[in-house]
Amino acid sequence: MIKGFIFDFDGTIIDTETAWYYAFREAYQEYGVELTLAHYSTCIGTSLNSFNPYEYLMTDLNLPIDKEEFRIAVQQRHSELMEKEAIRPGILEFLNSAKEANLKLGLASSSSKAWVEKHLELLDIQDYFECIRTSDDVARVKPDPELYVQTLEFLDLAPSDAVAIEDSPNGSKAAAAAGMHCVVIPNELTRYLEFDVPHHKTDSLSSLDFEHVVTRKIFS
């Protein structure tokens, strides 16, 4: 029997990632540059070290752009797009089922603590999670497993006793590297990406039988 679940945040609980891509893509188009999903996907679910969409036009293409104005414009557009977003289907039901079953719940995100806590409060779901680990807590974010390892240790769970809930290839790689089973619920953006580690994939948590997850039937 599974004893706990560890959720990713961005793109998994609420789809912030698709809005970021659209906001950046629109901003790039203003300078005649196409931002492909293949290029942008390298920073989904991880740090901006491999590709920083805020700086690429300036540092790699040498375009004369005011960095701060560009950042503000992208973030404003992201906020506008996020007004249409809500908590993803099945998330609340799954959290409530886990609580009723007395299972442990954690959250492991490559985003900052301030970002995650802000949105958890807006969604009013912060109290579900016994442990929250973010980029503020680790030296390396996903696909490194450190976020999951720390969360497992805090919850006193063995990797085999917990399931990760993810949406991105980097997240699923981190879960696999931590020795965990993983349920992937791709969003509008990540459904086009390649997942190359073992996982169970579904369109939403609403489509899953909770008992089949807890008893590991979906992984057999």
Side-chain angles (χ1 to χ4, degrees), residues 106-163:
L107 188 147
S109 171
S110 293
S111 294
S112 70
K113 181 178 180 180
W115 172 266
V116 171
E117 290 187 343
K118 168 190 170 183
H119 286 85
L120 289 178
E121 289 176 9
L122 288 172
L123 296 170
D124 195 25
I125 59 172
Q126 66 272 27
D127 292 338
Y128 281 96
F129 302 102
E130 302 168 50
C131 175
I132 296 174
R133 289 292 180 267
T134 68
S135 60
D136 296 40
D137 302 302
V138 297
R140 297 172 299 278
V141 296
K142 303 169 187 175
D144 189 277
E146 189 174 359
L147 280 162
Y148 278 115
V149 170
Q150 283 198 21
T151 309
L152 288 167
E153 288 177 350
F154 183 93
L155 296 174
D156 194 25
L157 290 172
S160 59
D161 289 335
V163 171

Side-chain angles (χ1 to χ4, degrees), residues 164-182:
I165 310 294
E166 279 284 356
D167 73 297
S168 72
N170 281 317
S172 63
K173 287 177 183 176
M180 302 172 64
H181 286 303
C182 183

Side-chain angles (χ1 to χ4, degrees), residues 35-51:
L35 178 60
T36 65
L37 177 55
H39 197 172
Y40 182 76
S41 67
T42 58
C43 70
I44 295 176
T46 185
S47 69
L48 302 183
N49 290 338
S50 59
F51 171 62

